[in-house]
Amino acid sequence: AYACLYVNNQNPKLSDKRVRRAIAHAINVDEIIKTVYNGYGERIAVPLLPSFSYYDKSLKPVEFDIQKAKDLLAEAGWKDSNNNGTVDKNINGELTELNLTCTVSAASETGKSTLLLAQGTLKQAGINLEIVPKEFTVIMDDVRKD
């Protein structure tokens, strides 16, 4: 099994690859493995199991680095102009906070625990994450609508 975070590239807040890369740098995957999965896990760089013959072992996972996340956000034009702890940017003439919503299965305690840890480290980078638990069937309906 593997856990991953899906990102909507169509969202104007997430359309810049530097923002998506910043998110990756701002999530402490090693801490999640240690805390949520009791150390039973392995970081991977792509959504393939390392046991597959075509898994490229030379690819390295993104390192946890809050400063790098902040730097990438700044490069992409995100700054905390109103000093509220969340970076913001003018998008289409409107000041937009980097508030993100992540849906998780209401039945998944590991998913909720994972997102709570991610929420804390993302906040350090200036990204606000709202966690929204939903029933899995509702999540799948939402995915099909988009």
Side-chain angles (χ1 to χ4, degrees):
Y2 68 93
C4 61
L5 180 65
Y6 294 101
V7 177
N8 181 354
N9 296 349
Q10 302 300 312
N11 183 326
K13 296 176 187 177
L14 301 169
S15 61
D16 189 317
K17 67 181 177 181
R18 293 171 293 190
V19 173
R20 298 190 303 271
R21 188 78 169 177
I23 291 169
H25 278 292
I27 297 176
N28 191 342
V29 177
D30 291 332
E31 182 64 23
I32 291 168
I33 290 170
K34 177 182 166 191
T35 305
V36 178
Y37 296 96
N38 296 314
Y40 293 104
E42 177 183 351
R43 293 189 67 197
I44 57 175
V46 295
L48 295 171
L49 295 175
S51 59
F52 292 165
S53 61
Y54 46 87
Y55 182 86
D56 186 349
K57 291 178 177 30
S58 70
L59 297 174
K60 301 297 177 207
V62 176
E63 292 183 44
F64 174 63
D65 187 336
I66 294 293
Q67 189 57 54
K68 180 69 174 173
K70 289 178 179 181
D71 293 345
L72 286 166
L73 290 170
E75 283 177 27
W78 292 92
K79 295 182 176 47
D80 186 8
S81 66
N82 55 9
N83 296 314
N84 68 352
T86 302
V87 295
D88 51 70
K89 178 179 180 176
N90 190 308
I91 298 177
N92 298 325
E94 185 176 326
L95 187 65
T96 305
E97 301 273 334
L98 193 46
N99 295 321
L100 302 175
T101 302
C102 191
T103 306
V104 63
S105 172
S108 175
E109 292 305 317
T110 56
K112 289 185 274 188
S113 296
T114 296
L115 287 177
L116 283 170
L117 286 171
Q119 183 181 52
T121 54
L122 286 164
K123 189 65 178 168
Q124 292 174 38
I127 302 169
N128 185 45
L129 179 67
E130 178 187 5
I131 302 167
V132 180
K134 290 185 179 182
E135 295 302 318
F136 185 73
T137 54
V138 175
I139 294 171
M140 294 312 296
D141 287 343
D142 289 348
V143 168
R144 287 185 195 102
K145 287 178 194 172
D146 292 339

